[in-house]
Amino acid sequence: MARLALIAIDGPSGVGKSTTAKALAARLGWDYLDTGGMYRCAALAALRSGLGPGDPGIRDLMDRLRIEQIGTSFLMDHEDVSAAIRTPEVTRLSSPLSADPRVREALVPQQRRIGERGGWVVDGRDIGTVVFPDACCKVFLTASIDARARRRFLELQAKGQPAEFPAVLADLAERDHRDSTRDVAPLRPAEDAMILDSSDLDLGQVVTAILARHQRHGG
Ligand code: DC
């Protein structure tokens, strides 16, 4: 299989995939695609239409949905929804909604069209396994649930958002479980992915490890 010049970063929620992917894209002069942001747009659209996972109207909704990522901003039908897709309500719905096969059938082809010519760092849950199995560099970024919950808790505190550590931990555990046990495109490392545990690493160390892998594997 010809290798595509693309770095795929998969891993559980709260592991720092997007921060890592953005830093890598900046270092390489590549673009960054946030596939989780696309699932969040789908969740926001579903919320606004009063639809949930499994509802018959989801297919129609997905056919009509126009999502665009410009830099790190998301536009949905030309409306800037970058802040609206990060609310707790959208975060909660995006996990069960992304397990609906009709949502994935609509978004995966869009992701492939965006990245097919290479020069992208793409993060998500199924990038190395399903979306770009031909990516030249695949990373499964992981960290203990305690480390991820601690980081998320500190982030929320820094933003002045009220949060309780046990609730943050429970929420992550629930999303981990749902994302890795769903029938379609469950979260798991590709066979040829480097598994990188970032529990005790800072961003610079993670980026250095991935760049070293990328240099070894070409692209
Ligand atoms: O990475 P994130 O938290 O922004 O992702 C939001 C949700 O979308 C998350 O619950 C899992 C889902 N997702 C997915 O199923 N596949 C992807 N490639 C990216 C995200």
Side-chain angles (χ1 to χ4, degrees):
M1 185 164 30
R3 289 295 189 177
L4 179 67
L6 183 146
I7 300 182
I9 303 187
D10 291 306
S13 302
V15 76
K17 295 185 296 295
S18 66
T19 314
T20 304
K22 279 180 217 160
L24 282 166
R27 285 285 289 272
L28 294 167
W30 285 9
D31 289 304
Y32 162 56
L33 177 64
D34 170 9
T35 62
M38 297 174 77
Y39 288 97
R40 287 170 178 272
C41 286
L44 176 63
L47 267 179
R48 286 177 173 178
S49 308
L51 294 171
D55 278 342
I58 288 285
R59 186 182 300 279
D60 237 27
L61 181 77
M62 293 309 301
D63 285 346
R64 280 185 278 116
L65 197 61
R66 295 287 165 269
I67 303 170
E68 228 184 316
Q69 187 190 331
I70 300 189
T72 51
S73 299
F74 271 93
L75 301 185
M76 210 166 75
D77 298 323
H78 306 295
E79 173 194 349
D80 189 335
V81 292
S82 314
I85 60 170
R86 306 285 163 197
T87 62
E89 215 183 353
V90 170
T91 301
R92 256 193 311 278
L93 181 63
S94 63
S95 176
L97 194 77
S98 65
D100 186 321
R102 293 164 305 170
V103 174
R104 307 199 81 81
E105 277 162 22
L107 295 185
V108 167
Q110 292 183 34
Q111 294 161 6
R112 290 196 179 126
R113 267 197 303 279
I114 294 170
E116 68 189 356
R117 295 171 68 183
W120 288 84
V121 182
V122 185
D123 78 352
R125 305 292 187 291
D126 59 342
I127 307 306
T129 49
V130 174
V131 185
F132 293 111
D134 52 346
C136 67
C137 180
K138 300 181 190 176
V139 178
F140 191 83
L141 193 59
T142 185
S144 70
I145 189 156
D146 267 324
R148 288 183 284 132
R150 227 178 9 254
R151 286 180 205 160
R152 175 63 47 95
F153 178 67
L154 292 174
E155 252 170 48
L156 290 170
Q157 277 199 325
K159 284 190 205 159
Q161 291 179 15
E164 294 197 13
F165 184 77
V168 173
L169 189 85
D171 179 56
L172 276 180
E174 189 189 329
R175 291 176 74 195
D176 278 3
H177 178 73
R178 194 179 300 110
D179 293 346
S180 39
T181 56
R182 67 187 177 205
D183 291 338
V184 264
L187 171 67
R188 62 176 175 80
E191 267 175 29
D192 50 349
M194 165 174 78
I195 298 183
L196 186 58
D197 187 327
S198 70
S199 305
D200 299 313
L201 302 179
D202 63 25
L203 176 65
Q205 291 169 313
V206 170
V207 168
T208 302
I210 299 176
L211 284 174
R213 162 93 173 184
H214 173 63
Q215 273 153 16
R216 278 199 305 279
H217 286 243

